[in-house]
Amino acid sequence: MSWNSEGLNKRYKQKEIAIYLKENKVKLVGIVETRAKEHNASKISRKIAPRWEFETNYASAVSGRVWILWDSAVYHIKSIQQEAQLLHCNMVSRNQAIDRNMTAVYGYNTIEMRKELWQQLAGISQKVSKPWIIWGDFNSILCPQDRLYSTAVTSMEIKDFAECVQNLMLNELPWKGDYYTWANNKDIRGKLKVLNETEFKGITMKIEQAREDLKKVQTKISAHYTDALASEEKNILC
């Protein structure tokens, strides 16, 4: 599970995450935008999940932009690479049923600063030999409809992220719950709730079908690239 905390220093924020983990039996969580000082990290992590282990990227980002916490009775996590915008690890379940790479991401706010993130993910992809999941907050969108009630989405905002997904042949995972989950204006939160209920019922099934279509197209591209297949792939992604 990935969570943008918008700051972990307040006790109510720590309690909110702790309750959610317990009630939903979550055993691993990536937390971004912690805004916590490194000397407070251990204390805060214990407040959220006592006896869990945790990994951070303080060595690359003073503010510790990315944390991963996990129940060591369920998973073994080994850090492989950390950068200011990501934390790349190997994850193995104690019962050996899961063995994969994972990268927790918290992208910078500007297009130029995120370019390094896309380059780093491309570099990691050259070394990955296991199933790989990338999760977090990219601070970017893949399609114009991913953002509402704000400034118009430009092609430049989408281009780098979309190219990263396409070049690395990544598939977007389905999710449960609301399509729109965050707003910086309280006045529009009610509107987003209505929109989620009216426009995005059954979205999980639609995304699953899109994933299957994308997988088929990418398999064809791997065997024999054509501009038509590339265009079809782009249409599925957006």
Side-chain angles (χ1 to χ4, degrees):
M1 185 189 80
S2 178
W3 192 304
N4 186 322
S5 65
E6 297 184 281
L8 274 181
N9 294 299
K10 300 294 185 180
R11 182 67 187 104
Y12 78 88
K13 286 284 189 73
Q14 302 163 15
K15 188 174 181 180
E16 179 184 14
I17 298 176
I19 291 173
Y20 187 91
L21 296 180
K22 183 176 181 180
E23 290 183 349
N24 292 277
K25 299 180 180 179
V26 176
K27 301 300 180 181
L28 183 151
V29 60
I31 306 177
V32 301
E33 197 177 353
T34 66
R35 303 177 191 170
K37 300 294 185 182
E38 185 173 7
H39 67 269
N40 289 326
S42 181
K43 179 176 68 175
I44 292 174
S45 70
R46 288 196 301 271
K47 293 286 187 180
I48 294 171
R51 296 179 295 279
W52 281 24
E53 296 184 25
F54 74 104
E55 188 69 58
T56 69
N57 72 333
Y58 281 105
S60 300
V62 176
S63 57
R65 304 179 78 250
V66 183
W67 291 16
I68 296 176
L69 289 76
W70 69 93
D71 185 343
S72 58
V74 179
Y75 296 108
H76 171 71
I77 308 293
K78 180 181 179 181
S79 177
I80 299 174
Q81 178 178 339
Q82 61 168 282
E83 307 290 350
Q85 300 180 79
L86 65 82
L87 183 55
H88 179 62
C89 304
N90 188 63
M91 173 180 66
V92 180
S93 60
R94 293 297 183 182
N95 62 7
Q96 305 297 312
I98 298 172
D99 183 1
R100 68 188 56 177
N101 291 136
M102 65 176 183
T103 306
V105 168
Y106 183 39
Y108 282 130
N109 291 324
T110 69
I111 294 173
E112 284 303 314
M113 294 182 74
R114 284 195 298 271
K115 287 185 182 297
E116 187 176 34
L117 170 61
W118 314 131
Q119 293 168 0
Q120 289 164 349
L121 289 175
I124 291 172
S125 72
Q126 301 300 312
K127 307 170 189 175
V128 167
S129 58
K130 301 176 180 180
W132 182 27
I133 182 169
I134 309 171
W135 52 328
D137 185 347
F138 294 85
N139 260 318
S140 186
I141 58 177
L142 283 172
C143 301
Q145 60 265 32
D146 288 344
R147 188 172 74 200
L148 291 180
Y149 303 116
S150 185
T151 55
V153 176
T154 67
S155 60
M156 289 301 296
E157 292 181 82
I158 298 172
K159 180 177 178 293
D160 291 342
F161 191 11
E163 287 182 353
C164 178
V165 170
Q166 181 175 349
N167 294 339
L168 273 56
M169 300 184 71
L170 302 174
N171 292 322
E172 191 173 4
L173 294 174
W175 75 93
K176 294 181 181 179
D178 293 338
Y179 189 87
Y180 297 109
T181 59
W182 181 86
N184 61 1
N185 185 330
K186 293 181 179 180
D187 293 337
I188 68 171
R189 290 178 183 173
K191 297 178 182 178
L192 292 182
K193 183 176 181 181
V194 172
L195 189 62
N196 280 319
E197 292 175 351
T198 58
E199 299 295 331
F200 294 100
K201 285 184 177 180
I203 190 68
T204 300
M205 292 181 63
K206 294 177 183 178
I207 291 173
E208 187 63 32
Q209 182 59 55
R211 288 182 66 224
E212 289 299 319
D213 293 343
L214 182 62
K215 184 176 180 180
K216 291 176 183 178
V217 170
Q218 290 179 336
T219 299
K220 292 178 182 178
I221 289 175
S222 297
H224 179 66
Y225 175 89
T226 67
D227 289 341
L229 287 173
S231 178
E232 186 177 350
E233 180 189 44
K234 184 177 180 180
N235 289 336
I236 294 172
L237 286 171
C238 291

